[in-house]
Amino acid sequence: MILTIAPVGVPLKIVHIRGKDSQQKQLANMGFVLNAEITIVNEMMGNLIISVKGCRVAIGKDLANRIKVEII
């Protein structure tokens, strides 16, 4: 499932990231890499606050739509 429709507060694992190299690099710099464990902390109007590697990161709906996750 894509990240924008994943449930809040449930541990997730990143299984695929699609997009241009620059977008993938931007996400990787924020900690969004394959097999990373993340949790959606809050969702507001499609924008997400995500706990990744012990830090909270805010991403927009456009970037969140590029990340596929599965429930752990």
Side-chain angles (χ1 to χ4, degrees), residues 17-61:
I17 300 173
R18 63 181 176 87
K20 299 177 186 174
D21 287 340
S22 61
Q23 292 166 332
Q24 288 184 358
K25 193 175 201 179
Q26 178 186 10
L27 288 167
N29 288 336
M30 292 189 289
F32 293 91
V33 293
L34 292 180
N35 297 319
E37 293 184 15
I38 63 172
T39 304
I40 300 173
V41 177
N42 195 4
E43 183 271 333
M44 187 183 309
M45 297 171 45
N47 300 317
L48 302 172
I49 298 175
I50 300 171
S51 175
V52 57
K53 296 186 178 181
C55 297
R56 289 186 178 188
V57 179
I59 63 171
K61 190 177 193 178

Side-chain angles (χ1 to χ4, degrees), residues 3-19:
L3 189 56
T4 52
I5 63 170
V8 175
V10 176
L12 305 165
K13 180 173 84 168
I14 297 175
V15 293
H16 182 71
I17 300 173
R18 63 181 176 87

